[in-house]
Amino acid sequence: MMLPPVWVRRLVIAPAVVVLSVALLATLPVWLILALAASPLVPGHLRVPRLVFLAIAYLIWDAAALVCLAALWLASGFGWKIRNPTFQRAHYVLTGWFLDALFWLARWSLHLSIDVVGTDPDTGMPGRPEVVVSRHAGPGDSFVLIHGLVNWFDREPRIVLKATLQWDPAVDILLNRLPNRFISPGHTRTVSLEQEISDLATGLDDNDAFVIFPEGGNFTPRRRTRAIAFLRAKGMEDMAVKAEGLRHVLPPKPGGLFTAIDAAPDAGVIFVAHTGLDRMITVRDVWRELPMDKQLVMRFWSVPPEEVPAGEEERVAWLYEWWARIDAWIEENRPQSRPLGTDWAARRTPAA
């Protein structure tokens, strides 16, 4: 779906979200009563009220963020100083606050727990910039990862992410004010895209984290089949054979990641795997999965910069070896249900 122009997103969609959220908040008891009345007709423990509450709460969350962003825009002199370090830091703090609130909602309505295992951006070399390389399995994983980087590890992420996320007005405004890049899957001019990535990854300081999802999209069996066929059509038989051994991830696209590594040679590389929200990609998926009552497990592996191969062929082999490791880890840590009433938490356990 084509993204509306910026003026439509700022002057039409964003105000509409605020007005709608106020209306829904004023009539919230009515919606919840209707949802409770419909609940016995639908299988699952309070599935309808949970989904209605989550949808309304997310709209209110989005509207509150928009109001705060408008206040920062006014305080910066109608956007005049919005890019200076003080206001950039204020936007990262705001990001942390609202992600904390979002995960409180997840605890309350979805009974979601997060278990973090392995190393993290603070263990191997505190004060070192990092290139964070994550698998992609739905919008939920992106929120969890950025929440962790900002609120657990006090990092300031720079993110390469899909342009379609700009349909969400708060995400659109907030992330466009910070050093991030929105990309469209239809882009074929990789030179200009890689230049954007290089510019974004240049100049990382000690608390920055450059975040990239090298699969380029959420995993689905159909996308996996298409990606393998694409590699074969391009004559990359060795990579196609390796990709056929990956069951839970798409074959990684190395160009953007290697560009970021070259632009930030002093940065370590952190690989991130997770499982638990793999099937939460669309609204239909959310409906099917509720009640969730699941545990999301995240695994971090830290690679110091001196262990990153220098040659392109060696790097491709190295990346595919890591992707196979991530794929095997996902297979060993498939989502598990958890009892109702267990408190939500982010728990770190020793590396396995």
Side-chain angles (χ1 to χ4, degrees), residues 37-344:
S39 188
L41 306 176
V42 178
H45 179 66
L46 297 178
R47 176 177 288 183
V48 177
R50 279 176 152 184
L51 189 58
V52 168
F53 173 81
L54 189 62
I56 295 175
Y58 187 85
L59 270 173
I60 294 170
W61 175 87
D62 220 62
L66 288 170
V67 172
C68 292
L69 288 167
L72 284 175
W73 182 76
L74 290 172
S76 68
F78 299 95
W80 178 44
K81 295 183 178 181
I82 205 74
R83 304 285 179 183
N84 78 13
T86 299
F87 281 97
Q88 290 285 283
R89 182 57 190 166
H91 280 78
Y92 278 117
V93 171
L94 185 68
T95 300
W97 288 351
F98 276 92
L99 286 174
D100 258 343
L102 186 64
F103 281 89
W104 179 86
L105 289 172
R107 175 189 63 188
W108 198 90
S109 61
L110 299 179
H111 295 274
L112 173 67
S113 70
I114 303 177
D115 193 7
V116 180
V117 299
T119 59
D120 63 49
D122 292 333
T123 56
M125 185 67 69
R128 181 182 69 191
E130 301 285 355
V131 174
V132 180
V133 188
S134 178
R135 72 167 298 212
H136 209 344
D141 67 348
S142 306
F143 278 109
V144 173
L145 178 57
I146 303 308
H147 170 60
L149 291 173
V150 173
N151 288 318
W152 303 340
F153 310 132
D154 197 25
R155 292 279 175 161
E156 295 183 350
R158 303 183 184 187
I159 318 165
V160 179
L161 63 173
K162 283 188 174 183
T164 52
L165 289 173
Q166 293 172 104
W167 275 101
D168 183 312
V171 171
D172 178 21
I173 295 173
L174 176 60
L175 295 191
N176 273 303
R177 288 184 185 176
L178 294 170
N180 303 295
R181 290 293 185 277
F182 288 96
I183 60 173
S184 299
H187 280 185
T188 56
R189 293 175 294 181
T190 55
V191 174
S192 62
L193 177 58
E194 289 182 358
Q195 185 59 54
E196 287 190 49
I197 291 174
S198 178
D199 293 344
L200 185 60
T202 299
L204 298 179
D205 62 27
D206 56 0
N207 70 335
D208 283 335
F210 180 91
V211 182
I212 191 167
F213 302 88
E215 291 165 296
N218 300 317
F219 174 87
T220 66
R222 180 178 296 180
R223 284 180 176 172
R224 174 181 175 272
T225 301
R226 286 205 309 260
I228 294 171
F230 175 81
L231 292 174
R232 284 213 161 88
K234 292 293 183 180
M236 304 175 183
E237 183 62 27
D238 289 346
M239 294 172 67
V241 171
K242 291 178 180 178
E244 286 178 330
L246 304 174
R247 298 299 176 186
H248 306 288
V249 292
L250 299 177
K253 300 175 182 178
L257 172 59
F258 295 168
T259 297
I261 290 174
D262 288 336
D266 297 329
V269 177
I270 292 195
F271 289 96
V272 184
H274 55 81
T275 185
L277 297 182
D278 311 57
R279 300 172 65 184
M280 304 281 286
I281 296 175
T282 66
V283 173
R284 182 178 180 181
D285 296 334
V286 174
W287 172 261
R288 183 191 62 237
E289 290 294 308
L290 286 174
M292 183 183 290
D293 304 318
K294 290 179 181 177
Q295 180 185 56
L296 185 147
V297 183
M298 298 185 72
R299 177 69 156 92
F300 294 82
W301 294 270
S302 182
V303 180
E306 59 270 17
E307 293 184 11
V308 177
E312 184 173 353
E313 290 186 8
E314 292 81 0
R315 278 185 179 178
V316 170
W318 169 78
L319 177 58
Y320 268 82
E321 286 172 5
W322 271 107
W323 232 240
R325 185 172 182 176
I326 289 171
D327 188 69
W329 181 89
I330 293 169
E331 176 63 31
E332 295 170 1
N333 294 269
R334 304 300 291 272
Q336 297 180 355
S337 298
R338 58 192 292 271
L340 281 170
T342 304
D343 192 20
W344 180 95

